[in-house]
Amino acid sequence: MMMEPVIKEKEEEPDTKRAGQQKSRKRGRAKGSKNKNRRDVELKPYLVHIQTMIKKLLVLIGTDLKLIYCVLDGAFGHNNALQMVQQCSFHLISKLRGDAALYCPYDGPQKQRGANKKYGGKTQL
């Protein structure tokens, strides 16, 4: 277990005059947008801080113990935190966020035309 103080940097306050002047965007996906790899994420500063603490802890422990899991709060139940933990070669144990939607795999008969179904029923959280 490690603890370090975190000094928050001041964020720039958004200009209230400019907030009302922004263009309204159309619904849906923007034309020309490409699919993105969910594993290539830019980590936020607080996640980078946690990742450096994990790496320091691994150096302190050395090769005496083989750690596999990283247990984090429910606030870290999102993709960026998962990628941060996987970069340290750990498995994440965390509570899922309230808006998470989990589906069972579809195992019924497939249609002859069109794309195959991937998702079955939604699981209750």
Side-chain angles (χ1 to χ4, degrees):
M1 181 71 82
M2 291 182 67
M3 292 176 58
E4 275 187 23
V6 177
I7 301 170
K8 291 186 178 182
E9 297 178 10
K10 290 186 178 181
E11 296 181 11
E12 294 180 22
E13 295 181 20
D15 210 6
T16 55
K17 294 178 185 176
R18 293 188 179 245
Q21 295 176 354
Q22 291 180 351
K23 289 183 187 178
S24 61
R25 295 183 181 175
K26 294 181 182 178
R27 281 198 207 176
R29 185 173 175 159
K31 287 188 178 180
S33 64
K34 302 284 184 181
N35 292 340
K36 295 176 184 165
N37 188 353
R38 291 180 295 183
R39 294 184 182 197
D40 297 334
V41 295
E42 186 175 326
L43 298 178
K44 295 194 176 188
Y46 72 95
L47 292 175
V48 173
H49 181 73
I50 294 171
Q51 189 177 39
T52 56
M53 288 181 64
I54 290 173
K55 289 179 181 178
K56 286 180 187 178
L57 182 65
L58 288 174
V59 170
L60 279 173
I61 292 174
T63 58
D64 296 337
L65 292 173
K66 175 73 174 146
L67 300 179
I68 301 171
Y69 300 105
C70 181
V71 180
L72 295 174
D73 191 341
F76 296 97
H78 51 80
N79 184 45
N80 288 355
L82 173 66
Q83 299 307 321
M84 179 264 305
V85 170
Q86 284 184 342
Q87 288 174 7
C88 296
S89 66
F90 285 120
H91 295 283
L92 177 64
I93 297 176
S94 175
K95 185 179 114 179
L96 285 174
R97 290 177 18 165
D99 61 353
L102 298 177
Y103 292 88
C104 296
Y106 183 76
D107 56 356
Q110 299 288 350
K111 296 186 225 173
Q112 289 183 349
R113 294 186 190 181
N116 289 340
K117 292 184 178 183
K118 292 194 299 187
Y119 302 113
K122 187 174 180 180
T123 60
Q124 299 294 324
L125 296 177

